[in-house]
Amino acid sequence: MLTCLIASDKMLCLSKKVCNVIKKFFIRHYPIIAVVMLIISCALVGEELTLRLRFERDAIVGGDFYRLLTAHFVHLNWVHALMNIAAAVIGWVLFRDSLSNLQWILSIAVCGLVISLLLFTVPQLHWYVGFSGIVHGLMLQGLVFEKRLRLVEKSVVITALLAKVAYEQWFGSSSADLELIDGNIVVQAHFFGLLGGLLMCIGIKFISLRRN
């Protein structure tokens, strides 16, 4: 009887520790967890939901303003979704401590809105899906506010990111990427994502200066 009670206490103690670890992990990483869960959930539901949530010029003009944000969480297919999830997770692992969780959430929202609004300037574009534009904006912010990198290192990586996006604007995406996702890549969204990221950088810096 005594042995059973001791074993029960140990199991209870272990379960509490596990719960605390899970709780701390979720609190620390809930922005990326939410992004991954949203993208996977949308992919699981399938094409019907994608059609309902994607950026669609006429639908937004008609009043479906929610599409300005939801478009970034639906994708062409599973390959497209998993590629963007991988990119988002890598960015999170590299730059998670560059900003607070609240700043990351605001960044996702701001970058998403900036991208969607600027997509209206692309006359031949009628619909759009994908998280890659937001990823570009988040990467820029992560690099700008990353304290572990020296200024020279930051400058080199940011220049490489800008060069990559500039190349896409001139020459488009690689044929390999197009084959992977079995669709067109709207490279303008990557550029607009950088603009959204830049806007957030200016905003965060301005607020930081005001507080100091």
Side-chain angles (χ1 to χ4, degrees):
M1 184 68 176
L2 181 60
T3 303
C4 289
L5 288 173
I6 293 172
S8 178
D9 287 341
K10 286 183 178 179
M11 286 297 294
L12 183 61
C13 183
L14 179 61
S15 64
K16 285 182 177 179
K17 287 181 178 179
V18 171
C19 287
N20 285 334
V21 170
I22 294 173
K23 182 180 178 181
K24 289 179 180 178
F25 180 85
F26 181 81
I27 291 173
R28 181 172 172 79
H29 301 289
Y30 71 83
I32 191 64
I33 292 173
V35 166
V36 171
M37 289 180 66
L38 278 170
I39 293 176
I40 290 177
S41 298
C42 290
L44 285 171
V45 174
E47 185 178 1
E48 185 177 346
L49 184 65
T50 299
L51 294 174
R52 183 63 181 163
L53 299 184
R54 71 184 185 179
F55 173 95
E56 201 165 293
R57 186 185 297 267
D58 294 338
I60 294 171
V61 171
D64 288 352
F65 302 120
Y66 62 87
R67 293 175 183 263
L68 295 171
L69 280 177
T70 58
H72 304 283
F73 297 96
V74 291
H75 291 78
L76 295 171
N77 48 51
W78 273 104
V79 173
H80 188 207
L82 292 174
M83 285 175 65
N84 280 338
I85 286 173
V89 170
I90 290 171
W92 180 261
V93 170
L94 291 174
F95 304 120
R96 181 260 171 274
D97 294 323
S98 299
L99 300 173
S100 69
N101 280 352
L102 178 58
Q103 288 172 330
W104 282 120
I105 292 172
L106 287 174
S107 297
I108 291 170
V110 169
C111 288
L113 287 173
V114 168
I115 293 166
S116 293
L117 291 173
L118 289 178
L119 285 175
F120 277 96
T121 66
V122 185
Q124 70 274 21
L125 182 74
H126 297 287
W127 62 271
Y128 167 83
V129 295
F131 198 75
S132 60
I134 292 179
V135 168
H136 282 73
L138 298 182
M139 287 287 191
L140 178 63
Q141 292 169 77
L143 286 165
V144 169
F145 294 108
E146 178 54 62
K147 297 177 181 178
R148 295 171 298 179
L149 293 176
R150 293 177 296 176
L151 181 59
V152 174
E153 294 170 332
K154 282 186 183 183
S155 300
V156 170
V157 182
I158 290 175
T159 300
L161 177 62
L162 296 177
K164 178 257 186 191
V165 173
Y167 177 88
E168 289 177 337
Q169 305 311 304
W170 283 101
F171 302 106
S173 297
S174 68
S175 57
D177 289 338
L178 297 177
E179 289 177 7
L180 268 176
I181 68 169
D182 193 26
N184 293 322
I185 296 176
V186 181
V187 294
Q188 294 94 329
H190 298 171
F191 175 59
F192 298 154
L194 289 183
L195 294 181
L198 178 60
L199 180 64
M200 276 300 299
C201 288
I202 294 171
I204 291 170
K205 196 66 178 177
F206 177 76
I207 292 171
S208 177
L209 291 173
R210 286 288 299 272
R211 285 178 178 174
N212 295 331

